[in-house]
Amino acid sequence: MPTENEFSRFCKDFDLRRPTEPPVKKTFWFEAKFEHDSDSINDLLRRFLINNGIKYLNTMNGDVWFIQKGAWCRCDYEVSGDTVKFYLCEFNKEEQV
């Protein structure tokens, strides 16, 4: 877990570099199955991020943002039965300078 200073820097970076435009591309990233009846889609995403050592932020509107290849990202998803396919949203890199 990041320290408060690390968390503050992480939040400031998010505020400065978070994409505000819609994604330019969505690429399949991974799929996961619901493990518990109480799991939400964000629970599956956060579990994957934690298991892969990827720090993330939750926004007030329910989005989960994280840094992938040096850029802020989020996922879209498709649900099929008990499986969720996650798609990495790719944004215009020029916005994240």
Side-chain angles (χ1 to χ4, degrees):
M1 200 67 171
T3 66
E4 189 170 336
N5 286 339
E6 288 174 314
F7 181 72
S8 294
R9 284 193 299 271
F10 200 55
C11 290
K12 285 179 186 176
D13 184 64
F14 177 71
D15 289 340
L16 290 172
R17 298 189 316 121
R18 172 181 57 120
T20 55
E21 298 295 320
V24 293
K25 183 179 176 186
K26 296 177 186 178
T27 305
F28 176 76
W29 194 28
F30 73 97
E31 69 179 37
K33 290 186 181 269
F34 290 105
E35 295 178 15
H36 310 284
D37 290 340
S38 61
D39 276 347
S40 70
I41 291 166
N42 280 351
D43 290 336
L44 297 179
L45 175 57
R46 286 188 292 260
R47 193 173 297 131
F48 177 85
L49 296 172
I50 290 167
N51 289 342
N52 287 282
I54 301 170
K55 293 187 238 175
Y56 64 89
L57 291 174
N58 296 297
T59 61
M60 295 299 283
N61 69 354
D63 288 334
V64 177
W65 287 86
F66 51 93
I67 295 179
Q68 182 74 1
K69 297 181 183 176
W72 281 99
C73 299
R74 64 173 175 77
C75 287
D76 276 347
Y77 59 87
E78 290 178 356
V79 179
S80 178
D82 66 346
T83 302
V84 180
K85 290 184 179 184
F86 288 92
Y87 296 87
L88 192 61
C89 294
E90 298 178 37
F91 298 91
N92 186 344
K93 299 262 189 229
E94 294 171 9
E95 293 177 16
Q96 296 195 42
V97 177

